[in-house]
Amino acid sequence: MNRSTLLLALSWLYSLSIFAQNPALFSLQEALIYAKDHSPNVLNAQLDEGLAKARTREITGIGLPQISASADIKDYFDLPTSLLPGEIFGRPGSFTPVRFGTKYNATAGFSFSQLLVNGEYFAGLQASKAFQELSKINTRRSVLELEIAVSKAYLTVLVNRYRLKSFTANVERLKKLLNDTKAYASQGFVEEIDAKRLEVQFNNLLTEQNKVQNLMKLSEELLKFQMGFPLTDSLGLKDSLPLFESESSIGTNLTIEQRQDLLALAAQKRLQELDIRRLHLGYLPSIAAYGALQTNAQRNNFTFFDFDKNDLTKQWYTISLVGLSINVPVFDGFQRHQKINQAKLNLQKVNNAQYLLEQAARLELKTAFVQYENARKSLTTQQTNIALAEDVYAVAQKKFNNGIGNNLELLNAETSLKEALNNYYNALYDFLITKIDIQKSTGSTTLK
C-alpha cells in the first residue's frame, strides 16, 4: 500500500470515528416523527388496521360470485357391480351380478353460486366496516399515547440538562467562595471554621450534582426507549427550554369529545348494535342462485383426446344446470332468541362502561386543569423568587468583596439562590407536564 492510499484510508477512518461520535440531534417534532416510524406499539396498531381492511375485503367477497373449476379422471381396476333382478334373465327370485361402465371416466366443468338475499351477510358487512373504523381509532390512540410519553421524556431530559447547568454554576460559585475563604483564613481575616463550613456545603453540592448527572443519563435512556431509538447510540436535543417556557397558556374552553378512548368505546357500541341487528336478520329467508356446466367422457382405453362425432364412444357429453336455493329458518330451539338476549345484555354493559368513562374523563380533565393552574401560578412565583435571590446574592457578594460582609451571609445567599433555581426547574417541569396532561385528557395532540 502506497503512502497516498494509506493516508486516504486513515482519513476515511477518522471521518467515520468523528461521525460516530456526533449524536443524532432531534427537536421535539422530529423526535415524535421518529418515534411514530419506529415504535413497535404504533407499528402493530397500523398492522391491525391493515388486518381489519383485509377482513372487510374478505367479508365483501362472500357476496361476490363464487366460481370454481374442477377436473376428475378415474381408472377403474374393477368396474362397479350392480345386482339385477333375476326376472330379467328368466330366473325369478334371484339376482344376477352385472358390471356397468367403462374402465376410464373423465369429468371437467365449472360451477358458480351467487348470494342474492342474506340479512346476516349485509349486517356482517356493516360490522366489518365499523371494526375497520375501530382499528383506525386504536391506531390514533396508540400514536397519541406515544406522543405523550415521548414529549414527557423529552422535556424531562431538557429540564435535567438545564438543572445540571444550574448546579454547575452553583458549584463554580461555591468553589470560588471556598478558595477565597481559605485564603482569608490563612491570613487570619476569617476563622478556620468558616472555611470548613463552606467545604461541607461544597461537598454536599457535588453530591447533588452527581445525582442530577445520573438522573439526566437515565432520562436520556428513557427518551431513547420511548422513541424506539437504539440505546447504544448518542442522542442530542435541538430545542431549548425557553422555547416551551414562552408558549401561550391553555384556554378554558376544553372538551372531551375527541378523546380516542371514548371514540373507541362508541365504535364498540356500534359493533354491538350491529351484532343484534345481524341476529334479528337471521330470522329472514336467505336466497342464493347457483349453476354448473360439466362435460364427461367414458373410454375403455385412455383416449380422451381423440374425438369423433360419428363415434359415440369418442364423444364428450355435456351437463348444464341452474338453480335457486331458498333457506327459510323455521325453529332452532330458541337458540337465536337467546343469542339476541345475550347481545342486548352486552350492549347494556357497553352503555354502562361508556357512562363511567365519560364521567372519569370529565373528572380527569378538571383535575388536570386545576393542577395546570396551580403549576402556572407556582412557576410565576418561582420566577419572582429567582430574581429576588439573584439580587440578594449580588448584594451579599459585593459586601463580602468589599470586606463589610461575612462569608456566612454570602453562603446563605448562595444556598437561597440554589434553592430558588431548583424550585424554579421543578415548577417549570410540573407546568409543562400538566399542560401535556390537559392535552391528553382532551384527546388533542401534545406539545408542538
Side-chain angles (χ1 to χ4, degrees):
M1 180 182 294
N2 57 40
R3 182 178 180 183
S4 60
T5 304
L6 179 61
L7 290 176
L8 181 61
L10 291 175
S11 176
W12 179 73
L13 290 173
Y14 177 74
S15 63
L16 284 181
S17 65
I18 294 298
F19 178 77
Q21 293 172 1
N22 290 332
L25 298 178
F26 290 91
S27 65
L28 177 55
Q29 271 296 295
E30 291 169 344
L32 294 176
I33 294 173
Y34 182 94
K36 282 184 248 184
D37 293 336
H38 295 83
S39 169
N41 290 334
V42 172
L43 294 176
N44 283 340
Q46 292 171 346
L47 291 174
D48 288 337
E49 189 174 341
L51 289 172
K53 290 180 182 178
R55 178 60 179 164
T56 299
R57 295 191 184 103
E58 177 189 355
I59 296 176
T60 302
I62 297 175
L64 300 178
Q66 311 294 306
I67 302 173
S68 61
S70 62
D72 179 62
I73 297 178
K74 294 182 177 67
D75 180 358
Y76 288 101
F77 294 107
D78 294 301
L79 293 176
T81 301
S82 298
L83 295 177
L84 299 181
E87 286 79 1
I88 297 176
F89 302 99
R91 294 192 295 272
S94 64
F95 291 92
T96 301
V98 178
R99 292 179 183 273
F100 290 100
T102 58
K103 180 176 175 55
Y104 299 101
N105 288 267
T107 303
F110 293 91
S111 63
F112 81 93
S113 64
Q114 172 63 59
L115 188 65
L116 299 179
V117 177
N118 189 301
E120 284 191 276
Y121 164 72
F122 294 110
L125 186 60
Q126 288 181 311
S128 68
K129 293 179 179 179
F131 181 73
Q132 185 175 337
E133 180 60 30
L134 176 60
S135 67
K136 292 180 181 179
I137 294 173
N138 288 334
T139 299
R140 292 195 295 268
R141 181 165 60 178
S142 297
V143 170
L144 181 58
E145 290 173 352
L146 177 66
E147 287 184 342
I148 292 170
V150 171
S151 296
K152 287 186 176 181
Y154 192 98
L155 291 173
T156 300
V157 174
L158 202 57
V159 171
N160 282 341
R161 288 187 176 183
Y162 274 79
R163 183 182 284 120
L164 181 59
K165 188 183 298 185
S166 173
F167 264 96
T168 302
N170 289 337
V171 168
E172 293 300 323
R173 282 196 300 266
L174 194 57
K175 183 178 180 180
K176 182 179 183 304
L177 178 59
L178 176 60
N179 292 334
D180 292 343
T181 303
K182 285 183 177 180
Y184 290 150
S186 64
Q187 298 174 8
F189 292 107
V190 297
E191 296 183 10
E192 188 70 26
I193 192 173
D194 292 335
K196 290 182 179 180
R197 186 185 295 114
L198 282 173
E199 190 168 1
V200 171
Q201 186 74 10
F202 180 74
N203 291 335
N204 290 335
L205 190 59
L206 288 178
T207 301
E208 292 181 35
Q209 183 188 34
N210 184 62
K211 290 181 180 178
V212 173
Q213 287 175 334
N214 292 333
L215 286 175
M216 187 185 69
K217 293 177 182 178
L218 185 59
S219 62
E220 289 176 350
E221 296 301 307
L222 177 60
L223 175 58
K224 293 178 187 178
F225 174 78
Q226 299 291 5
M227 290 174 56
F229 189 82
L231 298 181
T232 55
D233 294 349
S234 298
L235 182 144
L237 308 187
K238 286 184 180 179
D239 291 338
S240 60
L241 204 53
L243 174 66
F244 301 101
E245 290 180 271
S246 60
E247 288 188 346
S248 58
S249 60
I250 294 177
T252 58
N253 188 22
L254 304 173
T255 62
I256 60 172
E257 278 73 17
Q258 295 305 312
R259 284 181 61 119
Q260 298 303 312
D261 50 358
L262 287 174
L263 296 177
L265 200 55
Q268 291 177 5
K269 179 180 178 180
R270 173 62 176 161
L271 283 171
Q272 197 62 46
E273 292 170 344
L274 288 173
D275 189 48
I276 295 174
R277 184 168 180 266
R278 177 186 65 82
L279 292 170
H280 276 296
L281 291 175
Y283 285 118
L284 300 178
S286 61
I287 304 174
Y290 62 90
L293 174 63
Q294 290 183 341
T295 181
N296 62 61
Q298 302 176 33
R299 304 282 194 271
N300 283 320
N301 298 310
F302 199 85
T303 57
F304 292 110
F305 299 103
D306 294 339
F307 178 77
D308 186 351
K309 65 179 180 179
N310 296 319
D311 189 347
L312 296 180
T313 63
K314 293 184 177 181
Q315 293 187 21
W316 287 74
Y317 297 94
T318 301
I319 303 173
S320 60
L321 64 92
V322 293
L324 191 67
S325 173
I326 302 177
N327 182 21
V328 181
V330 178
F331 182 71
D332 62 355
F334 301 107
Q335 295 181 58
R336 186 174 295 274
H337 176 71
Q338 295 304 323
K339 289 180 180 179
I340 292 174
N341 287 339
Q342 293 175 52
K344 288 181 178 179
L345 293 174
N346 285 328
L347 178 59
Q348 292 179 18
K349 290 176 62 178
V350 173
N351 287 332
N352 293 336
Q354 188 177 33
Y355 173 79
L356 181 62
L357 182 59
E358 287 176 353
Q359 295 297 101
R362 290 189 175 92
L363 178 60
E364 181 183 350
L365 177 57
K366 290 181 180 179
T367 303
F369 188 77
V370 170
Q371 292 175 341
Y372 167 77
E373 284 296 313
N374 290 339
R376 185 173 62 85
K377 293 176 182 178
S378 177
L379 180 62
T380 302
T381 301
Q382 297 306 325
Q383 288 172 335
T384 303
N385 288 342
I386 285 179
L388 294 174
E390 287 176 343
D391 290 341
V392 170
Y393 180 82
V395 172
Q397 187 177 41
K398 187 175 181 180
K399 291 172 62 178
F400 180 78
N401 292 336
N402 292 331
I404 58 176
N406 56 55
N407 65 343
L408 182 58
E409 181 182 3
L410 184 58
L411 177 60
N412 290 335
E414 194 280 333
T415 301
S416 298
L417 178 58
K418 182 196 70 174
E419 291 177 353
L421 288 170
N422 189 50
N423 292 337
Y424 167 74
Y425 285 120
N426 288 337
L428 178 59
Y429 176 78
D430 291 341
F431 171 74
L432 296 175
I433 295 303
T434 55
K435 185 174 182 180
I436 294 177
D437 288 337
I438 283 184
Q439 293 168 321
K440 172 190 173 184
S441 61
T442 59
S444 63
T445 54
T446 55
L447 289 175
K448 298 299 182 185

